[in-house]
Amino acid sequence: MKKKDLIVLIVVLVIVLVFLSGYYYWGYKNNKNVINFDDDEIISDVFDKRNTNYNSKIIDEYVKLYNNSDVVGEISIINSDFKKAIMQGNDNDYYLNHTEDKTNSYMGSIYLDFRINIDDGKKLLIYRHNSGNIVMPFQILEEYYDYEFYQGHKYIKIITSNKTRLYKIYSVFVEVEDFGYMQTDFNNEDEWYEHINNFKKKSMYDTLEDVKKEDNILILQTCSTYYKYRDYQKKFLLVVAKEVSEK
């Protein structure tokens, strides 16, 4: 090979390496290079690893960390670093302005609706503040405006001292006027199905996931900072998921 050809080859290889390095770096930085794992693989992995003794240890560690027995569980988003304690008070006001260690703060905490039992609730409602100006844990939910992010982060896991619950997201939307999503009591299965299927209809993109009357659901609520809703006084981002059973 001539020296000139060798130099050209080296230059081409360097350009290719630089391009690939940049592609993977920016993909990682923007959380876009996510492997879209097989559903069965994720479900099997979660349920194969469940262990109530391990779960209890995790919850106990949170209780000791915050010196607070109001910790009822841990929430995590599969295929991300997001993993936080879930609090539950005697009402839905206390943890709006108290941190996990009961410090009075506008930051608040991630907390479960006081009306719901985390272990067997048919519908889990979990809340947390959000802001466009400061970093808050539920800011990650605003990534779900992006369908690509959703594709790589479809599953949400809840663990308690007694069990592991896995949910698959089927709807993402911003609510500005109908706050019936906070309803917890239903007269019959038909009313329940209409309620949960309505979320599917409101989704900002089609997740290709349907719901059935027997489904249990999880709703994560936070304030939306999405520019399309900036003129609305009340705008809540809802990430809605259905419970997945062990296969």
Side-chain angles (χ1 to χ4, degrees), residues 2-3 5 7 13 18 21 29 48 76 99 103 111 114 116 121 137 142 157 171 175 184 201 209-210 229:
K2 294 181 180 180
K3 184 176 180 181
D5 292 337
I7 293 174
L13 288 174
V18 169
S21 297
K29 184 175 181 181
D48 287 348
S76 59
T99 58
T103 299
Y111 66 96
F114 79 102
I116 298 170
E142 296 211 88
K157 183 172 70 170
S171 179
E175 186 56 74
T184 57
K201 296 175 182 177
E209 296 293 330
D210 294 318
Y229 299 93

Side-chain angles (χ1 to χ4, degrees), residues 170-173 198-207:
Y170 73 91
S171 179
V172 177
F173 65 98
N198 189 45
F199 299 139
K200 167 71 176 175
K201 296 175 182 177
K202 291 186 174 184
S203 186
M204 59 178 55
Y205 44 75
D206 189 358
T207 61

Side-chain angles (χ1 to χ4, degrees), residues 23-246:
Y23 174 81
Y24 284 109
Y25 169 76
W26 286 107
Y28 174 80
K29 184 175 181 181
N30 292 289
N31 225 353
K32 303 300 182 187
N33 62 328
V34 177
I35 299 173
N36 207 359
F37 292 111
D38 179 78
D39 284 10
D40 291 340
E41 179 183 337
I42 291 175
I43 295 169
S44 297
D45 184 62
V46 168
F47 287 115
D48 287 348
K49 290 180 179 178
R50 66 182 166 181
N51 183 310
T52 53
N53 290 330
Y54 173 78
N55 287 8
S56 295
K57 182 179 177 182
I58 294 298
I59 303 306
D60 288 343
E61 287 177 354
Y62 281 123
V63 170
K64 292 176 183 176
L65 175 65
Y66 300 123
N67 191 28
N68 187 352
S69 60
D70 284 349
V71 179
V72 293
E74 178 190 77
I75 181 172
S76 59
I77 296 176
I78 303 297
N79 201 27
S80 82
D81 295 329
F82 179 82
K83 187 179 292 185
K84 300 291 179 182
I86 304 170
M87 316 304 294
Q88 187 175 40
N90 296 321
D91 54 43
N92 284 338
D93 296 324
Y94 185 80
Y95 283 107
L96 271 175
N97 52 26
H98 288 82
T99 58
E100 295 87 348
D101 62 1
K102 295 189 175 183
T103 299
N104 196 319
S105 170
Y106 66 91
M107 293 285 288
S109 302
I110 294 173
Y111 66 96
L112 176 70
D113 192 295
F114 79 102
R115 300 169 293 174
I116 298 170
N117 184 303
I118 195 169
D119 284 324
D120 56 24
K122 192 167 182 64
K123 175 183 180 179
L124 302 189
L125 280 160
I126 297 178
Y127 314 104
R128 178 70 198 248
H129 285 310
N130 187 27
S131 171
N133 301 315
I134 57 176
V135 177
M136 288 189 167
F138 261 13
Q139 279 180 335
I140 191 173
L141 298 186
E142 296 211 88
E143 296 287 348
Y144 283 106
Y145 298 136
D146 183 347
Y147 182 68
E148 288 185 36
F149 183 85
Y150 158 76
Q151 287 182 304
H153 304 83
K154 297 178 181 179
Y155 289 91
I156 300 168
K157 183 172 70 170
I158 304 286
I159 69 167
T160 73
S161 295
N162 302 311
K163 68 191 304 183
T164 297
R165 305 185 74 172
L166 181 65
Y167 295 84
K168 187 176 186 181
I169 297 169
Y170 73 91
S171 179
V172 177
F173 65 98
V174 176
E175 186 56 74
V176 296
E177 58 183 8
D178 179 9
F179 304 107
Y181 64 85
M182 297 184 69
Q183 180 180 350
T184 57
D185 295 321
F186 301 88
N187 294 318
N188 52 57
E189 286 188 346
D190 290 334
E191 184 181 352
W192 168 251
Y193 176 71
E194 182 179 356
H195 179 73
I196 65 176
N197 192 51
N198 189 45
F199 299 139
K200 167 71 176 175
K201 296 175 182 177
K202 291 186 174 184
S203 186
M204 59 178 55
Y205 44 75
D206 189 358
T207 61
L208 304 178
E209 296 293 330
D210 294 318
V211 288
K212 303 183 294 294
K213 289 181 180 180
E214 59 267 28
D215 281 334
N216 299 328
I217 70 166
L218 163 71
I219 297 179
L220 305 182
Q221 176 209 285
T222 195
C223 296
S224 172
T225 64
Y226 198 31
Y227 73 93
K228 290 185 178 180
Y229 299 93
R230 61 177 176 267
D231 294 331
Y232 291 91
Q233 184 177 4
K234 292 183 178 180
K235 51 231 178 184
F236 295 109
L237 168 61
L238 303 182
V239 175
V240 189
K242 62 181 181 180
E243 187 165 16
V244 177
S245 301
E246 183 178 9

